[in-house]
Amino acid sequence: MAFPHLQQPSFLLASLKADSINKPFAQRCQDLVKVIEDFPAKELHAVFPWLVESIFGSLDGVLVGWNLRCLQGRVNPVEYSTAMEFLDPSGPMMKLVYKLQAEDYNFDFPVSCLPGPVKASIQENVLPDSPLYHNKVQFPPTGGLGLNLALNPFEYYMFYFALSLISQKPMSMTLHVRTSDCAYFTLVDRYLSWFLPTEGSVPPPLCSSPGGSSPSPAPRTPAMPFASYGLHTSLLKRHISHQTSVNADPASHEIWRSETLLQVFVEMWLHHYSLEMYQKMQSPHAKESFTPTEEHVLVVRLLLKHLHAFANSLKPDQASPSAHSHATSPLEEFKRAAVPRFVQQKLYVFLQHCFGHWPLDATFRAVLEMWLSYLQPWRYAPEKQAQGSDPQPRCVSEKAPFIQENLLMYTKLFVSFLNRALRTDLVSPKNALMVFRVAKVFAQPNLAEMIQKGEQLFLEPELIIPHRQHRLFTVTTSFLSPWPPVVTDASFKVKSHVYSLEGQDCKYTPMFGPEIRTLVLRLAQLITQAKQTAKSISDQYVESPTGRSFLSWLTFGLTDTNSCYPANDLDEIGQDSIRKTDEYLEKALEYLRQIFRLSEAQLAQLTLALGSARDENGKQQLPDCIVGEEGLILTPLGRYQIINGLRRFEIEYQGDLELQPIRSYEITSLVRALFRLSSAINRRFAGQMAALCSRNDFLGSFCRYHLTEPALSNRHLLSPVGRRQVTNPARGPRLSLRFLGSYRTLLLLLMAFFVASLFCIGPLSCSLLLVLGYVLYAIAMTLLTERGKLHQL
């Protein structure tokens, strides 16, 4: 694509827009690479906003752009590789960013597209707590519409990239797209590895022209000192102002990109629920309506895993808090401060919302794994290599400070998970797996003891001078403030963490206290119940013959039309899932016993106390209820018993059998036609049928057997309070032809005619034989019925 160098920016933009419609994707990217290389920043300035939007889609979700969230290499290999090369951290798009960055261009970004708490704060003229927004708010001129942020090219690009994850419409359920295979997920991983390296330093910006370089501008200095807001200062700004020579470490020029990238990702992906609202209501409620998707959660998990690896890449002599007072590079300082200063608070509120509002289904697994990834930073630490020995396993005990400074992440969220687990169907293998995963993580050696130690530190009486409490929030909310941190004792760090997230008036419930122990025992009881239910379902599979499915098709479920046994995914998957469920629950129960030091006697008592006892008639007891004015009311345990199939009410159809709902084994149109026919006959011959049924001879008994409902007087109305006789008015004799609308009846008739044809018996003769056979059967049943009545007298 050749453009004369004297073209105006408007013409260049118009040409690119036209090509975006007429040319194939690969050709468009090749043309864009040439434009970025050949044109100066002055002309590319007008193209940049359009190009960013055409790639990541519009902020309102109308334009999907390149649809990176659905672009997969195995489905569209050419487009995937082309897009990845173009958007790579060392690719042409980033060269364009650095080219514009060198000229100090700014681009307007609408405040209305920011996350809810940030948008509300700016609109109320309150500066958000993140330095990402400082000195960037542009107030509209008189008569202007909306507020904007003035962002440099790198910030503008990253804002669009991060927001495209949540601004675009969720993927259709019909599209089977694996998030980790998509271009967007891979790009997030590449940007994190490039700008938050675990080895070496951040690569410098690429040269955008031969023989030239792109200087890295320092972040703009705010008009008001950051300390006056009690907020974070820039790492680069602090480094330059406190070091005699910024050339001591080349990374000092580039750390602003790492800081910006992390702040943008955290703000756009996690800051959708305000801490103030959470502290007031103890959970973000309907006023904050943002609902994360499973894809969103998976990307956040990727961020957390990389941040742990990033922080664990600190050199051993710089990982300790005492190293903070010594001169270190900005990147090493950033590794130590990234998680506690940027991520912890917003992630905690985000997780609290997910635990409280996510549906009670298997998709919660994504949230669960994100949480467990954050709780285990030791999993992402490099293995120690001792001289002359094998690599040593990563140790939980080395992360004691992390556990203490993230105490609520372990304790309060564990309680939230307990409350979820008590409301889910643990017979489902997917739900059983989630309980097993949490129990396994918390049962790791020394972890429970370290959590308990953290709780003890928090519950210690305050033995400090009064002014220290006032200093607490200044220390915890100021990121690398001008004065060095003075928090040294572990107890004060734990209190600082808890009070900053829950408020100074919070009522902390210890994870190893009696209240939570009661919940754990209840969960253990439900696990045992679920194991028994899975075993009973397994026994049903074993007892059922291989031909049962065919026979049940022939009978069309008539053997138990009133059965209400709840179905779950065990019924669809089979014996293997039952085995997995039992295995998961067995191991989860053992892990819970280890974590909370439950005795074998306590678990044996739970087994004996299960509500699986039988009543005097050998039937299963009713679900757990309490007696109310209107009858029995289900308790939470009773609801759980019904959901999991542990207990159920005996429910039978008590109405007119002719008017009961059409069953799945009946032909709808035929049943309705037969009902109209039988109703017409009953109206026409009602008197004659009543006269025949009133006779005391054999003919009267024969007619009563066919024209009345003998079971009507014997049926009982089942009430939660007790049983009482049916008070329905007596119905007169009537003819019912509904049995002819059943698939089973018609199939049996066809089979009879087919067998008769094999013996050379015609349809008319076969019909006469069937009628004769039924008359003989009816006579026998009439005699047996009359004899039974005589014995009852």
Side-chain angles (χ1 to χ4, degrees):
M1 180 179 182
F3 291 98
H5 285 281
L6 298 178
Q7 286 175 313
Q8 297 298 319
S10 59
F11 184 79
L12 174 62
L13 179 58
S15 300
L16 291 174
K17 287 183 178 180
D19 289 344
S20 68
I21 300 175
N22 301 322
K23 291 188 176 181
F25 179 75
Q27 182 62 45
R28 298 201 312 265
C29 289
Q30 293 177 5
D31 293 343
L32 286 171
V33 172
K34 187 170 180 59
V35 166
I36 293 171
E37 291 289 343
D38 294 347
F39 283 80
K42 183 178 180 181
E43 298 186 32
L44 294 174
H45 170 252
V47 175
F48 184 67
W50 167 82
L51 180 58
V52 170
E53 184 176 72
S54 67
I55 293 173
F56 301 123
S58 58
L59 296 173
D60 58 5
V62 175
L63 302 177
V64 297
W66 290 4
N67 202 12
L68 298 174
R69 293 164 55 231
C70 296
L71 185 59
Q72 300 182 84
R74 58 184 177 84
V75 179
N76 300 299
V78 176
E79 292 187 5
Y80 178 87
S81 60
T82 302
M84 296 303 296
E85 290 176 6
F86 187 81
L87 300 176
D88 190 81
S90 60
M93 189 64 191
M94 203 55 70
K95 289 182 180 178
L96 172 59
V97 170
Y98 296 141
K99 201 174 199 179
L100 297 173
Q101 190 85 30
E103 302 297 332
D104 201 23
Y105 282 112
N106 290 330
F107 300 90
D108 289 340
F109 187 92
V111 170
S112 59
C113 296
L114 295 174
V118 178
K119 176 174 62 177
S121 179
I122 294 178
Q123 290 175 346
E124 294 173 1
N125 296 326
V126 177
L127 194 63
D129 61 351
S130 173
L132 191 64
Y133 309 105
H134 292 175
N135 206 33
K136 294 183 175 71
V137 179
Q138 303 293 314
F139 292 93
T142 305
L145 297 176
L147 297 169
N148 292 303
L149 298 179
L151 305 178
N152 64 44
F154 185 81
E155 294 168 338
Y156 187 83
Y157 177 82
M158 287 302 171
F159 265 65
Y160 258 90
F161 175 74
L163 275 175
S164 65
L165 175 65
I166 57 180
S167 61
Q168 301 297 315
K169 296 179 180 179
M171 290 182 293
S172 173
M173 297 299 293
T174 57
L175 296 176
H176 300 286
V177 178
R178 188 178 179 182
T179 301
S180 58
D181 294 337
C182 297
Y184 186 88
F185 191 90
T186 307
L187 277 175
V188 172
D189 187 45
R190 289 190 184 182
Y191 288 154
L192 290 172
S193 301
W194 184 274
F195 294 108
L196 302 176
T198 55
E199 297 180 0
S201 59
V202 183
L206 304 170
C207 296
S208 56
S209 59
S213 63
S214 298
S216 301
R220 55 177 70 92
T221 304
M224 188 178 297
F226 284 105
S228 64
Y229 292 110
L231 300 167
H232 317 328
T233 57
S234 167
L235 279 167
L236 178 59
K237 179 177 182 296
R238 180 183 183 275
H239 183 80
I240 292 176
S241 60
H242 288 80
Q243 301 292 332
T244 57
S245 174
V246 298
N247 295 323
D249 185 356
S252 61
H253 292 289
E254 309 307 328
I255 191 65
W256 69 270
R257 291 180 297 153
S258 302
E259 184 182 344
T260 299
L261 177 87
L262 178 57
Q263 290 185 76
V264 170
F265 284 179
V266 170
E267 287 294 310
M268 301 304 118
W269 295 343
L270 295 178
H271 196 187
H272 293 275
Y273 315 104
S274 66
L275 179 63
E276 295 75 14
M277 180 66 70
Y278 167 73
Q279 289 179 346
K280 290 178 182 177
M281 308 184 71
Q282 285 304 300
S283 69
H285 279 250
K287 291 184 178 179
E288 297 175 273
S289 58
F290 177 80
T291 303
T293 62
E294 187 175 356
E295 178 192 16
H296 179 183
V297 170
L298 292 174
V299 173
V300 172
R301 185 188 180 214
L302 174 65
L303 170 65
L304 297 179
K305 291 166 65 175
H306 186 85
L307 284 176
H308 280 322
F310 181 64
N312 289 329
S313 65
L314 269 172
K315 299 174 183 177
D317 57 338
Q318 294 177 335
S320 62
S322 60
H324 183 76
S325 57
H326 303 291
T328 58
S329 70
L331 186 60
E332 298 298 322
E333 201 170 351
F334 185 48
K335 289 179 180 181
R336 186 184 303 108
V339 172
R341 297 297 191 266
F342 285 123
V343 179
Q344 185 193 77
Q345 181 189 96
K346 295 179 176 66
L347 176 65
Y348 176 72
V349 180
F350 182 83
L351 283 171
Q352 281 284 18
H353 183 275
C354 290
F355 273 67
H357 294 76
W358 201 277
L360 292 172
D361 57 21
T363 61
F364 185 72
R365 175 78 186 278
V367 178
L368 186 81
E369 295 298 337
M370 174 181 65
W371 172 50
L372 296 180
S373 294
Y374 183 79
L375 297 187
Q376 304 175 85
W378 50 87
R379 287 187 58 195
Y380 312 102
E383 294 181 344
K384 293 182 178 180
Q385 183 70 47
Q387 293 183 354
S389 64
D390 295 331
Q392 300 178 3
R394 293 162 291 193
C395 184
V396 177
S397 302
E398 295 178 357
K399 290 296 180 179
F402 177 88
I403 295 172
Q404 293 171 2
E405 295 170 16
N406 289 270
L407 183 64
L408 292 177
M409 292 284 193
Y410 291 88
T411 60
K412 191 157 186 179
L413 289 178
F414 179 82
V415 175
S416 298
F417 176 76
L418 273 181
N419 290 324
R420 285 186 62 93
L422 292 172
R423 293 180 289 149
T424 54
D425 177 10
L426 297 184
V427 182
S428 165
K430 295 177 181 178
N431 292 333
L433 174 60
M434 287 191 279
V435 175
F436 161 74
R437 288 283 297 122
V438 173
K440 181 181 179 182
V441 168
F442 278 82
Q444 293 179 82
N446 301 322
L447 180 57
E449 291 78 4
M450 292 163 64
I451 295 173
Q452 197 165 8
K453 174 63 176 175
E455 291 190 322
Q456 292 171 356
L457 290 172
F458 173 73
L459 297 174
E460 281 183 3
E462 195 70 48
L463 298 176
I464 58 176
I465 55 178
H467 74 272
R468 189 175 184 182
Q469 185 67 28
H470 177 73
R471 188 92 182 256
L472 170 68
F473 294 102
T474 305
V475 173
T476 57
T477 58
S478 176
F479 175 54
L480 297 176
S481 53
W483 54 85
V486 295
V487 180
T488 54
D489 59 289
S491 175
F492 188 68
K493 287 183 179 180
V494 176
K495 295 176 189 294
S496 168
H497 157 70
V498 174
Y499 289 141
S500 64
L501 293 180
E502 293 289 333
Q504 293 184 350
D505 299 329
C506 71
K507 295 181 180 179
Y508 183 78
T509 303
M511 176 176 165
F512 294 93
E515 295 182 29
I516 307 306
R517 189 178 182 85
T518 302
L519 288 179
V520 172
L521 289 173
R522 184 178 165 194
L523 176 62
Q525 183 179 16
L526 295 183
I527 288 175
T528 309
Q529 287 180 332
K531 282 169 54 65
Q532 291 190 356
T533 302
K535 184 178 183 304
S536 66
I537 297 176
S538 177
D539 293 342
Q540 291 178 13
Y541 276 108
V542 173
E543 293 172 1
S544 300
T546 55
R548 181 180 178 88
S549 58
F550 177 72
L551 293 176
S552 63
W553 180 74
L554 288 180
T555 56
F556 300 103
L558 283 175
T559 55
D560 187 13
T561 58
N562 290 315
S563 175
C564 62
Y565 193 89
N568 51 43
D569 52 0
L570 288 175
D571 301 325
E572 300 177 358
I573 301 176
Q575 192 72 19
D576 289 341
S577 290
I578 299 175
R579 179 183 53 80
K580 288 181 181 179
T581 298
D582 186 71
E583 181 181 342
Y584 291 146
L585 294 177
E586 182 68 31
K587 290 183 178 179
L589 197 59
E590 175 61 24
Y591 287 139
L592 289 175
R593 187 188 66 80
Q594 296 175 14
I595 298 167
F596 293 92
R597 300 181 181 89
L598 303 177
S599 65
E600 295 291 346
Q602 286 176 308
L603 296 181
Q605 268 187 337
L606 293 177
T607 304
L608 295 175
L610 287 179
S612 58
R614 306 286 173 170
D615 62 10
E616 64 276 7
N617 295 324
K619 297 182 179 179
Q620 195 172 22
Q621 293 179 346
L622 294 177
D624 191 62
C625 303
I626 59 175
V627 179
E629 295 181 357
E630 300 296 330
L632 297 184
I633 302 174
L634 280 175
T635 64
L637 177 60
R639 286 193 292 270
Y640 177 86
Q641 291 168 338
I642 291 179
I643 292 173
N644 290 278
L646 303 175
R647 299 183 185 180
R648 62 188 178 100
F649 291 104
E650 296 181 7
I651 301 175
E652 296 180 1
Y653 183 78
Q654 299 292 322
D656 187 350
L657 295 179
E658 283 293 290
L659 300 178
Q660 63 179 315
I662 297 176
R663 307 290 183 173
S664 59
Y665 52 80
E666 294 177 319
I667 304 174
T668 303
S669 57
L670 185 56
V671 168
R672 290 171 178 167
L674 291 172
F675 176 75
R676 288 193 291 269
L677 177 61
S678 59
S679 298
I681 295 174
N682 292 330
R683 287 193 300 269
R684 176 68 179 81
F685 300 102
Q688 291 86 332
M689 288 190 292
L692 287 173
C693 291
S694 62
R695 295 173 59 125
N696 295 323
D697 54 6
F698 177 80
L699 180 59
S701 300
F702 188 85
C703 292
R704 284 193 295 273
Y705 176 78
H706 288 90
L707 302 179
T708 60
E709 300 178 25
L712 181 61
S713 60
N714 297 327
R715 280 189 289 154
H716 295 82
L717 179 63
L718 301 182
S719 169
V721 179
R723 298 170 182 259
R724 59 186 178 86
Q725 292 293 328
V726 176
T727 58
N728 294 338
R731 301 186 184 96
R734 58 179 179 171
L735 177 67
S736 176
L737 301 176
R738 181 163 178 163
F739 72 98
L740 294 174
S742 168
Y743 286 105
R744 184 187 66 169
T745 302
L746 297 179
L747 180 60
L748 291 176
L749 290 174
L750 289 176
M751 292 178 64
F753 282 110
F754 175 74
V755 172
S757 67
L758 296 178
F759 294 95
C760 300
I761 300 175
L764 182 59
S765 301
C766 180
S767 300
L768 292 175
L769 289 175
L770 289 174
V771 171
L772 179 61
Y774 178 76
V775 169
L776 294 175
Y777 168 80
I779 292 173
M781 291 302 299
T782 300
L783 294 174
L784 291 174
T785 302
E786 290 298 318
R787 182 176 296 179
K789 290 181 179 180
L790 290 175
H791 282 293
Q792 291 178 359
L793 294 175

